[in-house]
Amino acid sequence: MRPSVTPPDYEYLRKYLKDHSGLDLSADKQYLIESRLLPLARKTGLPGIGELVQKMKGGSAAFNTQVVEAMTTNETFFFRDKVPFEHFRDQIMPQILRARANRKSVRIWCAAGSTGQEPYSLAMSLKEMGAALAGWRVEIIATDLSQEVLEKSKAGLYSQFEVQRGLPIQLLVKYFKQVGELWQINTDIRAMVQHRQLNLLHDFSQLGVFDVIFCRNVLIYFDQDTKTSIFNRLAKAIEPDGFLMLGAAETVVGLTTVFKPVTERRGVYQPNEVHAAPARTVAFGAIAPKVAVMAGI
Ligand SMILES: C[S@@+](CC[C@H](N)C(=O)[O-])C[C@H]1O[C@@H](n2cnc3c(N)ncnc32)[C@H](O)[C@@H]1O
């Protein structure tokens, strides 16, 4: 029987995905290709992976984007891993409130925001700070490679299953309304998050400089050189006293010295002074006019 992914097709896909999304597939991930790309092939009326590869070589950019997006893992949930959000609330934000007391502004970037649970967890956390942030200008920018997940994030509509994953019931009641069988996050929380399509392999200096960057559970899919290159560019996009948050299985250790782990705060990193970005080089709100000014509670 013909294998559904031939070695040349596998090599083509591996290289294409690495070049276009950073995804680093080892030599034995044929099953992943099959489970993620056969449904796309069938949906497009193609009998198998061979024909899908032929179509990709035909040069339809839109189709190739669908292939790349079909291969990304979009798994996410509200307050994922809990502890990083506790660090954000209990250590990082109090520090930023003190350090930025004069300019009263905070910029946060979710560099792989997926379907929105992570940026909206941050938006709710900030809203919960109430009076402490009254009058502050808050920017949360959620970016992702995949336009499809960004559309879902913008809509802020979640299933019962999704709101049961990590979201405390009191925040569900406070910040969501029921729409048929789904739950929609309230307009004021949605308005705190800006969305942008962005591939981390490409230059992101146009986004400016941030106080906090969440770049969680995306670098795990990349090879060492790609991770190092992204860390080096992230260091230029973060304030010297800013914070980088990584996922539970991610670290800078052994890859770069531009960030150092914050002692006893797992997943939290700060720029090393020698590499720190010059203090805010881009004006606040430079990439988009949408900036939430917190009314406080
Ligand atoms: C597993 S999700 C993580 C979501 C969230 N940060 C979390 O930790 O719950 C990974 C996300 O990274 C995105 N992604 C994959 N490759 C990317 C790239 N090269 N640039 C930007 N985003 C990428 C995927 O589309 C996906 O939405």
Side-chain angles (χ1 to χ4, degrees):
M1 202 174 87
R2 185 170 76 108
S4 62
V5 193
T6 63
D9 286 349
Y10 189 68
E11 273 319 300
Y12 175 85
L13 285 164
R14 253 177 88 175
K15 179 160 179 0
Y16 193 91
L17 293 164
K18 172 99 190 307
D19 292 347
H20 289 82
S21 72
L23 180 64
D24 183 33
L25 287 176
S26 53
D28 58 348
K29 290 286 193 300
Q30 285 82 355
Y31 71 90
L32 202 62
I33 294 277
E34 285 170 25
S35 65
R36 298 204 174 166
L37 295 187
L38 272 177
L40 175 63
R42 304 258 154 83
K43 202 176 87 186
T44 322
L46 301 168
I49 301 293
E51 292 76 8
L52 177 139
V53 167
Q54 282 314 310
K55 188 170 165 72
M56 286 177 77
K57 289 178 180 169
S60 152
F63 182 70
N64 292 6
T65 299
Q66 284 185 54
V67 171
V68 170
E69 293 201 5
M71 285 303 299
T72 58
T73 300
N74 307 122
E75 161 75 358
T76 186
F77 50 94
F78 289 102
F79 296 95
R80 185 173 189 172
D81 302 334
K82 209 165 169 224
V83 175
F85 293 91
E86 291 171 359
H87 291 331
F88 176 74
R89 181 193 62 202
D90 300 335
Q91 273 88 37
I92 293 176
M93 279 312 294
Q95 216 163 306
I96 287 174
L97 283 169
R98 282 192 298 276
R100 310 282 183 267
N102 288 336
R103 74 178 185 222
K104 286 193 174 222
S105 69
V106 57
R107 298 191 82 217
I108 300 169
W109 176 23
C110 277
S114 190
T115 42
Q117 285 89 332
E118 185 177 79
Y120 290 138
S121 297
L122 293 169
M124 285 184 278
S125 300
L126 293 174
K127 201 77 173 168
E128 286 293 293
M129 287 174 201
L133 273 171
W136 278 60
R137 299 195 304 166
V138 172
E139 234 185 316
I140 303 173
I141 298 168
T143 64
D144 202 282
L145 172 78
S146 159
Q147 195 61 48
E148 195 179 330
V149 297
L150 286 172
E151 291 308 321
K152 176 166 162 117
S153 181
K154 275 185 214 166
L157 273 167
Y158 300 98
S159 67
Q160 184 72 35
F161 174 71
E162 287 168 321
V163 296
Q164 276 169 346
R165 294 183 76 198
L167 183 66
I169 183 79
Q170 62 275 27
L171 295 186
L172 175 66
V173 172
K174 197 165 170 185
Y175 296 119
F176 288 75
K177 65 172 187 300
Q178 209 157 1
V179 181
E181 294 194 340
L182 300 175
W183 293 86
Q184 187 165 40
I185 197 152
N186 291 345
T187 320
D188 55 340
I189 300 290
R190 255 186 296 152
M192 290 172 69
V193 178
Q194 305 170 51
H195 293 88
R196 274 206 167 195
Q197 199 272 339
L198 185 133
N199 187 340
L200 286 167
L201 299 187
H202 300 160
D203 178 34
F204 45 72
S205 57
Q206 76 282 4
L207 293 182
V209 177
F210 294 88
D211 300 297
V212 187
I213 299 177
F214 274 65
C215 186
R216 303 179 64 227
N217 303 301
V218 59
L219 300 181
I220 30 168
Y221 301 107
F222 301 163
D223 69 10
Q224 311 264 331
D225 288 348
T226 309
K227 286 182 202 177
T228 304
S229 151
I230 293 174
F231 283 134
N232 292 344
R233 289 183 293 120
L234 285 174
K236 297 193 177 97
I238 203 157
E239 295 278 6
D241 60 348
F243 295 89
L244 171 69
M245 312 291 286
L246 298 180
E250 295 159 333
T251 180
V252 303
V253 177
L255 291 170
T256 179
T257 55
V258 293
F259 288 101
K260 55 176 188 265
V262 174
T263 319
E264 289 176 24
R265 300 275 175 260
R266 195 151 168 250
V268 186
Y269 298 81
Q270 287 207 282
N272 257 322
E273 278 129 53
V274 272
H275 298 287
R280 189 148 292 170
T281 51
V282 170
F284 191 83
I287 71 146
K290 194 170 128 190
V291 176
V293 177
M294 303 292 278
I297 294 171

